[in-house]
Amino acid sequence: MTVIATRPYAMVDGNEAAARIAHLLSEVIAIYPITPASPMGELADAWSHAGKPNLWGVVPDVVEMQSEAGAAGAIHGSLSAGALSTSFTASQGLLLMLPNMYKIAGELTPAVIHVAARTVATHALSIFGDHSDVMGARQTGFALLASASVQEAQDMALISHLATLESRVPFLHFFDGFRTSHEISKIELIEEETIRGLIDEDLIAAHRRRALNPSNPSLRGTAQNPDVFFQAREASNPFYDSVPGVVARVMDLVAEETGRRYRLFDYDGAPDAETVVVVMGSGSGAVGEAVEELNRRGGKVGVVTVRLYRPFDVNAFVDVLPETVRRVVALDRTKEPGAVGEPLYQDVVAALAEAGVRADVIGGRYGLSSKEFTPAMAAAVFEEAALPHPRRHFTVGIRDDVSGLSLDFDPDWWSEPADVVRAVFYGLGSDGTVGANKNSVKIIGESTDLYAQGYFVYDSKKSGSRTVSHLRVSPRPIESTYLIDDADFVAVHQFDLLESLDALEICRPGGTVLLNTPYRGERLWDALPVEAQRHILDKELAVWAVDAAGIAREAGLGGRVNTVLQTCFFHLTDFRSSEDGVAAIKSYIQKSYGPRGQAVVRRNEEAVDNAIAAMFAVTPGEADGARRIADPVPAVAPDFVKRVTGAMLAGKGDLLPVSALPVDGTFPTGTARWEKRSIATEIPIWDPELCIDCGRCALVCPHAAILFKAFPSDTTVPEGFAWKEPTGKDLRGMRVVIQVAPDDCTGCGVCVEVCPAKSKEVARHKAINMQPKGEHLERERRNFSYFLEIPDMDRSQVNAQSVKGSQLLRPLFEFSGACAGCGETPYLKLITQMMGDRMIVANATGCSSIYGGNLPTTPWTTDDAGRGPAWSNSLFEDNAEFGLGMRLALEAQRQDALLLVTALAPELGSVAMEILDLFEGDDASSGDELVVRQRDLVSRLREQLAGLQGPLPRRLEGVADSLVERSVWIVGGDGWAYDIGFGGLDHVLASGRDINILVLDTEVYSNTGGQASKSTPRAAIAKFAAGGKATGKKDLGQIAMSYGNVYVGQVAMGANPTQTVKTLAEAEAHRGVSLVIAYSPCIAHGFDMTHQLDHQKAATDSGYWPLYRYDPAREVSGEPGLKLDSKKPTIPFKQFAATETRFAMLGRVDPTGADRLMQKAQQDIDDRWSLYEQMVDVHRTAEYVEVEE
Amino acid sequence: MTVDLRTSYLGLDLDHPVIPSASPLTGDVDHILALVEAGAPAVVLPSLFEEQIDHDAMAVHYSLEMGSDGFGEAAEGFFPQLDDYNTGPEDYIDLIKRAKAEVPVPVIASLNGVSTGGWTMYSEILADQGIDALELNVYRLAADMRQTSEVVEKSYVDLVEKVKKSVGLPLAVKVGPYFSSIPDMARRLCDAGADALVMFNRFYQPDIDLETLDVIPNLVLSDPVELRLVLRWLAIMHGRIDCDMAATSGVHEATDAVKALLAGATVTMMASALLRHGPSRLTEVRDGIRSWLGDHGYESVSQARGSLSYATAPNPEVFERAGYMKTLKSYVPTW
């Protein structure tokens, strides 16, 4: 293969392509993390941190704000003061920018916002791509320019920056989230000198002259009245009129320099086409391929790709349409319920009407939330359009059996050209498969004349997540913007995946398969499920195998099998000669890992060197394997789980019809229990001989995979089911058991770390020990199955407010997809044990909403009585308000209920009086005892109501449940509490309502990949704080304490579990707002999560995370409100910090800066401790009053 | 009467035979300058640990890889990608550069490797920085039940041969005392190219925490009594191997140093006493040697060197097994 010489090609994704231009052409960049746009901000921040200048030699100032609203405000200000400014965002982030976008546009300010277009949350959140966000911005006055590919993401970014300067109209440049933002593709870079030649410095000078300047003062942002507002609004018309011309001219200039010619609307297809599809964004790639194929088959069709969507140039649009066109199809990647049609459809209809073009227009929706959109689907659109009476409105890509709108399509209609090599790789997030494939496409794209494309699909779990990499290699630029379904090469990087996944289904006949397996010979063949065997035999697949895990292990790379399998991939394909490929891989290893250290390079090179020799061809046997791909859920699962959840788990969710899905986003809880992922290689095995039944293993288990129960001693248990006599007297007459959920454990080992009981003979042997799963799986499965049959403990028989007692109760949060060793989930699980049967949860967007609410399965569940947490996620920024609203609703319903009970008292009899006495008297009971009484009363009330006629009894039935205590929990991470949601949180803190707030403080934006928040401590490295955070952590607890009536607790389960339980119980009991700030170790801290409890302890021992409780009620009795629950610091902060990468990395990168920041961080701790010590002696005199409900 | 303390060690001409050995004290140029001010005629920098470098690099690697490419919202991992994480020997190279620029006495670098490739690679890197000599701080814990002493010993010899071949610098080899035949090993190391033997290195030794029942690594400062072991082997080998010999472990006072010299040490090395008492202790030891030698009528340190070795002592059998029996016999219980 020819090695290319000097053409400035690069393998980048859409985010990098756009961000590079934005960074080059900006002075101020205000950012806020949001998927899938975060990488643009991260790159810009990293470049500026590394001192990379913009086109004028100035390093852009990249500023992280508290929200996208803040980012928009900041760039508005920056623009007003004359700087070239930009931001990056998506979805809800763009919606938060809208108010400022109106302002920026209204003031005719040149600016560009780059958007990785993403679905706006409606019935559900989705991180994936469609145009619902940008369509929500089309009325702001921003020009909207769309990119359809990675190449265009660069080119249109430049065109946006150039056109805004000339037109003064701000630009929203967008491309499809994930499909373009995260697709790695070969693009031709526009070099800085070229850009310099395209920039008109006079336009920048004009922008500066318009800026606010005391030397030449002006006033902007007036309030206008009915007399002039309208006219002033119309005054900007000429600028909007000029935009299409400006953009067309800039496109021409760019074309002269780059050879890539774009028009406002680009037409491809037959010059005499009768049917034309109009589409915007990456979907045009699939439509283009369908058009080419249809015309090859004799059709007369075409496609218009919309570039400049706003302002919509009617003439330019009509000009590109062939005169022969009879039917136009507008495809929208968004949904506008209730509208005549979606926005692009309406624009097309209006444009053709205005231009007097006699063509019939139909409109369809496609690709919502990154739903696949393929040439076969596009062909179905053309087929529909060719009908004499097509549907005016339709959908494509789904099966709509409710409204009947969807088009049928033939998936086999289209096959990709034979000279495009397609490879699909199945792996795990933890094995480096995606990283290796990113490198592979870069190697191929950068070092050969070939074009390469990489696109990566992740599942919704944070632990044991599966990845699928789709790689295309072609002699031509690749415009296929959909997943591969007919692969020449399939690699299965984790052999176990074959047990649950029909991975070889995707391989074409005669294709090549690569397996990572410890097996050889017949054992290998026998280990394959029969489905895989059949694929191999029926399609005559060439199968190769290698023990990549063994090679990686020997090279000291743990489970990172990436470089081994990458080497085999190159060997089995002919993009590069084998030696050439190995050299290229090694060169990339040096490039990628060199900065981390030569040991990393050396070990990976060793793995590469050993790969090819270890690879061998697999000889097929008969397709008579005893193994079959397991059903996704067991037969005993509820119907919905089998029909719907099961399909999603099997990877067949795309095939579910509309009728299968809830109409309003409401799903049953308790579904995680049906998904048996079995991802651990080692699981904890209990040794009852040593156990002291303290319950700590169950307490700290992030996945509720270690469970603790007691049962009567006269119970007959099956053989092999382990149990022990209880250690203390509190469970006399009972037996206790610690049981692992073997298929739900992630193998994190935190339970073993916390176990205090060691063998006297073998100190490493504890009462619970990690053991190879295979040796114990069948027995533990049987035992767990029996364990589930043991009735839940009676809540009245245990003290739920103790560590041990709480652990005897069933967790109503189980088996989440959180990271192995997650520091957040043990708190949530604990709360559900203490009060889950009466919880309502408002959950801020973030990690906890993803592991808590991401389909297919969710962890919130119910007890034997069918009660459990009711959970919802609204948004990121509004969670405190959302939760407050829930409490207000409960109060309103209770008021109504009490009024109705009063009104119906004569008919209701004694139960009415008992209810009124309970709520209006001096009853001091609380917690479980109160709830039991209330439930009994409500039950009796319902019995009485059943016999009563009339509207009032019916109304009371509707609100009767509000007479049972509800525990409202507002849950979220620090990104929400400290930053984006702080305004609302602060207001809710001041509300005095009976609300509990749990801040799961990981000290970074964990869900979006570790960006700094205002909770991030000084001296820690994080994204957006690459040089170490220079400012200290906000003291949220102290802010809350300042109100004087807010219960505030700071906890760290690993430092003091008893204090954690006590704090949560007090928070719940406090009749007002309670705030609990929970230290939550996270993989973003950079250490082995197995040891997270030690880290929590060290954080507390160093005074970095002091434990305290501030209880306003104590002040009523004359005591100080604040109690410090941890001792004066016993170790220096440095000793704790040295064990976590987030702090230690700075010491490596910048020892001097690290010393300075570490000293200040120590001072932060000393100062705070000193302040708290003084506060312990403070007696407030203001009276604390419980808020009346 | 003036006493000539001048000594040649590793071909380096030194004013006297008391050198600060590898310790945290020599890891900082300001501290080194204080030692030179106190009279240090050369310094041995702390060891560059290949294992530590590898460990740091892999730790950075795992931190950057952890969670990356596994979840769509955090596909790029959880830490910013930086141009350089400084996990390599750069800090050490900077130390050498500063020391060579600012310290007026010979600078001896020290290296503790793991892999054969690592020993030679880092030796060359250090040699390129203009060090005056290189000390190989070799210790291998043979914890493999099937690894023979022959294999272990050969690996020492091969290592010295390879490094000597790849760098032309004067080479000291710092070893432990746990060979079946120390003299034979010493001879073979010298034959392989060692210009000096440094006896003996001290390792982290495990301790047991009785509260947590955990095993914990531990390193305590040396005690003068440890010098006895060194004295024995200095004495036995003095004049019988073609190598300089440096005495380290247990040299705390001038009298310790004098004993080492009398037993045959070319130089003595100090770390624990300097850490405990500061650089002035080096001055005291140097002056103490001079006084002792002067008081006892010696003209020079070379005159005294080895005068109580196995070959020259009036009762050399004490250095051998018989000495052990004698010690026991002379031990009188105090109860």
Side-chain angles (χ1 to χ4, degrees):
Chain A
M1 203 54 63
T2 320
V3 174
I4 54 174
T6 53
R7 296 183 76 182
Y9 282 102
M11 293 296 298
V12 295
D13 64 17
N15 276 330
E16 184 172 353
R20 174 177 165 267
I21 297 293
H23 191 264
L24 275 174
L25 294 176
S26 300
E27 295 159 314
V28 173
I29 303 176
I31 54 177
Y32 188 76
I34 185 163
T35 306
S38 303
M40 287 191 277
E42 290 164 16
L43 285 166
D45 183 62
W47 289 330
S48 282
H49 176 70
K52 186 177 174 186
N54 63 16
L55 204 61
W56 299 274
V58 176
V59 177
D61 195 349
V62 181
V63 185
E64 184 193 13
M65 296 302 296
Q66 90 285 8
S67 70
E68 291 87 350
I75 63 165
H76 185 197
S78 166
L79 292 162
S80 300
L84 301 174
S85 314
T86 194
S87 185
F88 315 106
T89 194
S91 192
Q92 322 293 142
L94 181 61
L95 299 197
L96 284 176
M97 290 186 173
L98 291 180
N100 253 302
M101 290 171 69
Y102 281 93
K103 292 290 295 177
I104 292 167
E107 294 167 359
L108 288 175
T109 322
V112 182
I113 296 174
H114 299 270
V115 175
R118 164 182 160 183
T119 309
V120 171
T122 48
H123 62 289
L125 169 148
S126 168
I127 62 169
F128 295 100
D130 66 33
H131 299 163
S132 52
D133 54 358
V134 292
M135 284 304 187
R138 70 189 192 281
Q139 74 281 30
T140 56
F142 266 57
L144 267 61
L145 191 65
S147 288
S149 67
V150 179
Q151 178 72 60
E152 290 177 22
Q154 172 198 248
D155 297 349
M156 297 298 168
L158 175 61
I159 290 165
S160 300
H161 279 271
L162 296 175
T164 192
L165 281 170
E166 186 172 344
S167 66
R168 292 187 58 184
V169 171
F171 272 62
L172 187 164
H173 163 233
F174 72 96
F175 42 89
D176 289 348
F178 281 105
R179 185 62 253 181
T180 305
S181 68
H182 281 58
E183 175 188 308
I184 296 176
S185 190
K186 184 172 186 168
I187 71 165
E188 196 175 334
L189 287 180
I190 304 176
E191 291 176 295
E192 288 184 30
E193 276 316 298
T194 307
I195 299 172
R196 203 182 305 282
L198 290 166
I199 287 280
D200 184 342
E201 294 289 342
D202 290 344
L203 296 173
I204 296 171
H207 173 57
R208 307 262 200 244
R209 279 196 301 277
R210 291 190 295 267
L212 296 173
N213 182 351
S215 302
N216 179 24
S218 59
L219 186 146
R220 210 176 282 159
T222 55
Q224 297 181 355
N225 303 310
D227 54 347
V228 299
F229 183 96
F230 193 171
Q231 302 93 300
R233 192 76 185 100
E234 296 298 319
S236 65
N237 290 352
F239 291 87
Y240 283 88
D241 292 343
S242 77
V243 170
V246 169
V247 173
R249 197 160 51 248
V250 170
M251 284 175 163
D252 288 345
L253 288 173
V254 170
E256 282 171 24
E257 295 295 331
T258 66
R260 289 183 298 281
R261 183 165 297 280
Y262 303 104
R263 293 183 178 79
L264 303 184
F265 300 91
D266 271 313
Y267 177 78
D268 283 307
D272 54 350
E274 293 172 358
T275 305
V276 170
V277 164
V278 183
V279 67
M280 185 160 59
S282 65
S284 76
V287 180
E289 288 180 337
V291 163
E292 199 178 326
E293 177 65 15
L294 284 168
N295 288 338
R296 197 181 60 76
R297 297 183 189 184
K300 291 182 178 178
V301 297
V303 56
V304 173
T305 303
V306 180
R307 313 286 186 198
L308 184 69
Y309 177 57
R310 284 285 181 275
F312 196 101
D313 187 328
V314 171
N315 292 332
F317 174 63
V318 170
D319 283 350
V320 300
L321 288 175
E323 288 182 0
T324 48
V325 69
R326 290 293 166 265
R327 188 157 280 153
V328 177
V329 190
L331 287 180
D332 273 274
R333 199 162 200 159
T334 187
K335 179 175 173 66
E336 189 174 325
V340 173
E342 270 59 41
L344 184 58
Y345 167 82
Q346 294 198 44
D347 287 316
V348 169
V349 169
L352 294 182
E354 281 196 8
V357 175
R358 292 170 60 85
D360 191 24
V361 185
I362 64 173
R365 289 186 292 276
Y366 74 102
L368 298 199
S369 176
S370 289
K371 174 66 75 186
E372 276 290 274
F373 183 61
T374 63
M377 295 173 192
V381 170
F382 282 107
E383 194 179 332
E384 178 74 13
L387 296 174
H389 301 289
R391 275 170 275 198
R392 177 72 60 194
H393 300 285
F394 63 85
T395 56
V396 64
I398 57 171
R399 185 156 71 85
D400 180 357
D401 56 345
V402 172
S403 309
L405 289 174
S406 60
L407 306 183
D408 291 334
F409 65 94
D410 174 9
D412 297 327
W413 178 85
W414 165 256
S415 53
E416 295 192 47
D419 61 352
V420 177
V421 178
R422 303 171 302 280
V424 173
F425 303 77
Y426 294 91
L428 291 182
S430 54
D431 66 16
T433 295
V434 168
N437 288 321
K438 284 179 178 174
N439 280 351
S440 291
V441 284
K442 287 177 180 175
I443 288 170
I444 296 165
E446 289 176 3
S447 62
T448 72
D449 278 341
L450 296 167
Y451 288 83
Q453 176 201 59
Y455 187 74
F456 309 95
V457 179
Y458 309 88
D459 76 12
S460 58
K461 307 293 183 190
K462 290 168 183 277
S463 55
S465 64
R466 295 174 179 182
T467 64
V468 190
S469 307
H470 296 255
L471 268 58
R472 281 190 180 91
V473 179
S474 167
R476 299 171 300 281
I478 299 166
E479 291 174 358
S480 303
T481 47
Y482 44 88
L483 302 178
I484 293 165
D485 64 358
D486 181 30
D488 302 292
F489 179 94
V490 174
V492 182
H493 285 193
Q494 298 291 333
F495 196 75
D496 289 351
L497 289 176
L498 289 167
E499 290 181 13
S500 56
L501 195 71
D502 194 4
L504 307 191
E505 183 184 22
I506 207 172
C507 198
R508 69 162 170 80
T512 304
V513 171
L514 173 64
L515 304 174
N516 167 23
T517 173
Y519 306 121
R520 298 185 78 95
E522 280 182 21
R523 239 185 117 202
L524 198 171
W525 183 255
D526 292 344
L528 290 168
V530 70
E531 291 87 346
Q533 292 176 338
R534 285 198 188 117
H535 284 303
I536 292 167
L537 294 170
D538 295 350
K539 294 193 270 189
E540 297 182 352
L541 306 178
V543 184
W544 295 81
V546 63
D547 181 11
I551 294 172
R553 206 167 38 241
E554 275 179 29
L557 292 169
R560 307 291 287 191
V561 294
N562 50 349
T563 39
V564 179
L565 291 157
Q566 186 185 15
T567 308
C568 296
F569 167 63
F570 271 83
H571 186 73
L572 293 172
T573 51
D574 58 358
F575 308 124
R576 308 273 311 237
S577 70
S578 192
E579 302 75 32
D580 207 16
V582 166
I585 292 169
K586 285 188 175 175
S587 161
Y588 241 86
I589 287 172
Q590 181 63 44
K591 186 177 169 184
S592 305
Y593 301 148
R596 301 176 186 183
Q598 287 309 304
V600 186
V601 173
R602 208 167 51 241
R603 291 182 192 203
N604 275 286
E605 286 185 345
E606 185 186 325
V608 168
D609 288 337
N610 293 333
I612 294 171
M615 190 169 60
F616 57 95
V618 177
T619 310
E622 300 292 319
D624 56 358
R627 295 168 181 267
R628 307 191 76 85
I629 293 176
D631 290 335
V633 292
V636 293
D639 176 62
F640 181 86
V641 171
K642 277 192 286 196
R643 277 190 305 109
V644 180
T645 311
M648 288 187 260
L649 289 173
K652 307 287 184 192
D654 282 326
L655 303 179
L656 285 170
V658 171
S659 65
L661 278 306
V663 296
D664 59 358
T666 306
F667 278 78
T669 60
T671 49
R673 72 177 66 170
W674 302 112
E675 183 182 13
K676 295 302 175 193
R677 300 197 297 142
S678 214
I679 59 173
T681 52
E682 290 189 329
I683 57 173
I685 299 299
W686 185 45
D687 183 347
E689 297 290 323
L690 294 174
C691 183
I692 55 169
D693 38 287
C694 64
R696 291 197 177 198
C697 53
L699 176 78
V700 301
C701 175
H703 293 85
I706 289 283
L707 296 151
F708 183 26
K709 262 186 188 175
F711 56 92
S713 52
D714 57 359
T715 309
T716 307
V717 300
E719 196 182 329
F721 185 79
W723 53 269
K724 72 179 284 285
E725 299 291 345
T727 304
K729 295 175 184 167
D730 48 339
L731 293 170
R732 193 171 293 155
M734 307 286 277
R735 289 170 174 171
V736 293
V737 52
I738 299 282
Q739 176 63 50
V740 63
D743 292 306
D744 302 299
C745 173
T746 63
C748 69
V750 176
C751 53
V752 175
E753 286 290 300
V754 79
C755 179
K758 290 182 178 179
S759 157
K760 293 284 178 288
E761 293 79 24
V762 181
R764 76 157 72 98
H765 183 74
K766 293 181 163 188
I768 191 162
N769 302 282
M770 297 307 285
Q771 304 272 324
K773 185 173 71 181
E775 296 171 13
H776 301 272
L777 185 58
E778 290 312 316
R779 189 192 66 238
E780 293 304 328
R781 274 181 177 163
R782 283 195 303 275
N783 286 346
F784 181 54
S785 178
Y786 176 73
F787 180 90
L788 293 175
E789 291 175 20
I790 300 173
D792 289 347
M793 286 289 287
D794 181 346
R795 296 185 70 89
S796 67
Q797 299 301 305
V798 295
N799 177 10
Q801 299 186 7
S802 68
V803 169
K804 184 173 173 179
S806 65
Q807 294 316 299
L808 284 162
L809 296 168
R810 184 200 278 198
L812 302 180
F813 180 92
E814 60 186 12
F815 318 142
S816 77
C819 298
C822 174
E824 294 187 355
T825 47
Y827 295 109
L828 291 172
K829 188 187 56 154
L830 172 61
I831 294 173
T832 69
Q833 288 169 300
M834 296 172 71
M835 56 205 90
D837 62 343
R838 50 187 181 272
M839 272 178 89
I840 294 184
V841 184
N843 207 130
T845 307
C847 272
S848 52
S849 75
I850 295 301
Y851 61 63
N854 203 346
L855 297 183
T857 64
T858 54
W860 301 90
T861 190
T862 53
D863 61 16
D864 281 348
R867 297 191 187 97
W871 181 95
S872 187
N873 158 246
S874 173
L875 297 170
F876 196 10
E877 63 272 19
D878 73 336
N879 190 49
E881 302 92 310
F882 186 50
L884 174 68
M886 293 177 181
R887 171 51 78 193
L888 298 180
L890 295 171
E891 289 176 6
Q893 289 172 75
R894 177 171 287 181
Q895 276 196 12
D896 196 22
L898 290 173
L899 277 176
L900 289 163
V901 169
T902 307
L904 293 169
E907 292 100 305
L908 290 170
S910 64
V911 70
M913 294 316 295
E914 286 179 57
I915 289 171
L916 295 173
D917 280 351
L918 183 65
F919 284 98
E920 292 167 7
D922 293 330
D923 195 288
S925 57
S926 64
D928 282 326
E929 184 192 347
L930 176 63
V931 167
V932 168
R933 284 181 61 195
Q934 289 170 332
R935 281 189 186 135
D936 177 57
L937 284 171
V938 169
S939 169
R940 287 167 53 206
L941 175 65
R942 287 191 182 283
E943 283 172 22
Q944 293 293 315
L945 287 171
L948 299 181
Q949 303 297 317
L952 292 190
R954 300 291 79 77
R955 216 173 96 198
L956 182 50
E957 280 177 338
V959 293
D961 276 349
S962 67
L963 296 171
V964 180
E965 288 299 303
R966 294 287 186 255
S967 186
V968 177
W969 282 86
I970 295 173
V971 174
D974 48 284
W976 158 69
Y978 287 69
D979 288 355
I980 195 169
F982 178 70
L985 175 71
D986 180 57
H987 198 82
V988 170
L989 285 173
S991 73
R993 303 284 182 157
D994 188 6
I995 284 168
N996 309 300
I997 301 166
L998 175 68
V999 178
L1000 298 163
D1001 197 345
T1002 63
E1003 308 191 312
V1004 280
Y1005 288 84
S1006 299
N1007 191 53
T1008 47
Q1011 296 84 1
S1013 75
K1014 282 199 287 299
S1015 172
T1016 304
R1018 202 194 294 273
I1021 275 190
K1023 288 178 185 168
F1024 302 164
K1029 184 148 173 281
T1031 53
K1033 177 187 173 93
K1034 176 157 84 179
D1035 191 341
L1036 185 63
Q1038 205 186 140
I1039 292 170
M1041 281 187 262
S1042 72
Y1043 283 108
N1045 64 346
V1046 176
Y1047 177 91
V1048 186
Q1050 182 151 293
V1051 302
M1053 187 181 278
N1056 188 339
T1058 305
Q1059 190 257 359
T1060 300
V1061 173
K1062 195 167 186 169
T1063 304
L1064 291 171
E1066 288 180 358
E1068 158 72 355
H1070 178 66
R1071 292 288 188 169
V1073 181
S1074 303
L1075 171 69
V1076 179
I1077 308 170
Y1079 189 58
S1080 305
C1082 173
I1083 58 172
H1085 296 182
F1087 64 83
D1088 179 353
M1089 293 301 286
T1090 305
H1091 307 298
Q1092 61 139 305
L1093 301 172
D1094 292 339
H1095 285 252
Q1096 294 192 43
K1097 187 169 181 306
T1100 295
D1101 288 347
S1102 66
Y1104 172 76
W1105 192 269
L1107 308 181
Y1108 62 79
R1109 286 167 295 142
Y1110 171 79
D1111 188 350
R1114 266 198 291 272
E1115 294 188 332
V1116 178
S1117 51
E1119 294 175 57
L1122 182 66
K1123 269 192 180 173
L1124 279 169
D1125 291 328
S1126 52
K1127 291 180 188 154
K1128 205 176 176 81
T1130 53
I1131 60 171
F1133 171 63
K1134 216 171 178 173
Q1135 188 176 327
F1136 157 62
T1139 61
E1140 301 196 349
T1141 301
R1142 58 176 171 159
F1143 297 113
M1145 192 183 277
L1146 186 61
R1148 302 216 144 277
V1149 177
D1150 175 14
T1152 313
D1155 277 351
R1156 187 173 47 79
L1157 285 176
M1158 292 299 281
Q1159 278 174 23
K1160 284 189 173 181
Q1162 182 64 59
Q1163 196 60 48
D1164 290 339
I1165 289 170
D1166 297 345
D1167 288 352
R1168 192 172 58 221
W1169 185 263
S1170 165
L1171 178 67
Y1172 287 178
E1173 277 189 325
Q1174 293 172 60
M1175 285 171 65
V1176 164
D1177 294 327
V1178 171
H1179 299 245
R1180 290 193 198 222
T1181 52
E1183 190 183 357
Y1184 160 65
V1185 182
E1186 282 191 3
V1187 174
E1188 301 276 332
E1189 286 192 7
Chain B
M1 171 182 166
T2 54
V3 179
D4 184 357
L5 296 182
R6 285 178 301 166
T7 298
S8 173
Y9 174 63
L10 290 170
L12 305 167
D13 293 328
L14 310 180
D15 288 344
H16 62 86
V18 187
I19 301 174
S21 64
S23 82
L25 212 52
T26 57
D28 179 285
V29 172
D30 291 339
H31 289 149
I32 294 175
L33 289 171
L35 289 165
V36 172
E37 181 75 13
V43 287
V44 184
L45 303 183
S47 285
L48 173 72
F49 281 90
E50 182 190 3
E51 195 174 12
Q52 183 71 45
I53 290 173
D54 285 6
H55 176 270
D56 289 353
M58 293 310 291
V60 165
H61 180 56
Y62 285 127
S63 292
L64 293 170
E65 295 290 299
M66 192 161 49
S68 68
D69 289 328
F71 181 64
E73 299 206 63
E76 307 300 322
F78 288 83
F79 288 98
Q81 300 284 339
L82 304 172
D83 289 341
D84 194 350
Y85 297 91
N86 291 329
T87 55
E90 286 78 12
D91 287 352
Y92 198 81
I93 289 170
D94 285 347
L95 173 67
I96 296 175
K97 281 182 178 158
R98 274 198 63 198
K100 283 305 295 174
E102 298 178 37
V103 176
V105 299
V107 173
I108 302 167
S110 173
L111 172 64
N112 178 286
V114 183
S115 62
T116 310
W119 279 105
T120 48
M121 178 181 77
Y122 288 115
S123 294
E124 286 166 11
I125 290 171
L126 300 184
D128 288 347
Q129 306 310 314
I131 52 173
D132 298 286
L134 178 64
E135 179 179 290
L136 302 180
N137 179 15
V138 196
Y139 79 88
R140 281 192 187 148
L141 268 178
D144 183 341
M145 299 292 286
R146 284 169 299 187
Q147 191 175 40
T148 63
S149 52
E150 286 84 355
V151 170
V152 176
E153 289 171 4
K154 184 169 184 307
S155 73
Y156 275 67
V157 175
D158 290 349
L159 162 70
V160 172
E161 254 174 20
K162 281 206 171 75
V163 173
K164 188 66 184 180
K165 202 178 283 178
S166 70
V167 294
L169 286 171
L171 197 64
V173 181
K174 191 172 186 176
V175 292
Y178 307 114
F179 295 104
S180 299
S181 170
I182 290 180
D184 176 59
M185 262 319 286
R187 181 188 56 75
R188 287 163 66 190
L189 291 171
C190 294
D191 290 349
D195 299 298
L197 293 179
V198 184
M199 300 183 296
F200 295 108
N201 50 19
R202 307 174 73 248
F203 325 127
Y204 276 91
Q205 302 288 9
D207 196 3
I208 289 175
D209 184 324
L210 291 176
E211 284 302 311
T212 62
L213 293 182
D214 283 326
V215 182
I216 48 174
N218 201 359
L219 177 65
V220 291
L221 296 179
S222 72
D223 187 276
V225 78
E226 293 176 44
L227 182 67
R228 309 283 179 86
L229 181 70
V230 182
L231 289 180
R232 161 177 282 148
W233 293 112
L234 286 169
I236 287 174
M237 294 190 293
H238 176 71
R240 298 160 79 184
I241 56 168
D242 189 19
C243 255
D244 291 342
M245 291 193 294
T248 185
S249 290
V251 180
H252 285 232
E253 299 184 14
T255 48
D256 300 326
V258 170
K259 289 175 188 173
L261 293 167
L262 295 178
T266 315
V267 291
T268 62
M269 290 188 173
M270 298 179 69
S272 295
L274 297 179
L275 286 166
R276 218 174 253 142
H277 305 291
S280 62
R281 175 56 66 103
L282 190 138
T283 319
E284 291 163 27
V285 171
R286 178 197 64 192
D287 294 349
I289 295 171
R290 183 182 287 122
S291 299
W292 190 93
L293 291 175
D295 291 349
H296 292 79
Y298 289 90
E299 292 174 1
S300 68
V301 72
S302 41
Q303 186 185 20
R305 182 175 291 116
S307 57
L308 270 168
S309 69
Y310 183 80
T312 55
N315 50 346
E317 72 279 6
V318 180
F319 288 119
E320 290 186 306
R321 184 174 176 82
Y324 176 63
M325 294 163 69
K326 211 166 191 175
T327 306
L328 277 185
K329 246 162 74 176
S330 62
Y331 186 79
V332 180
T334 52
W335 66 84

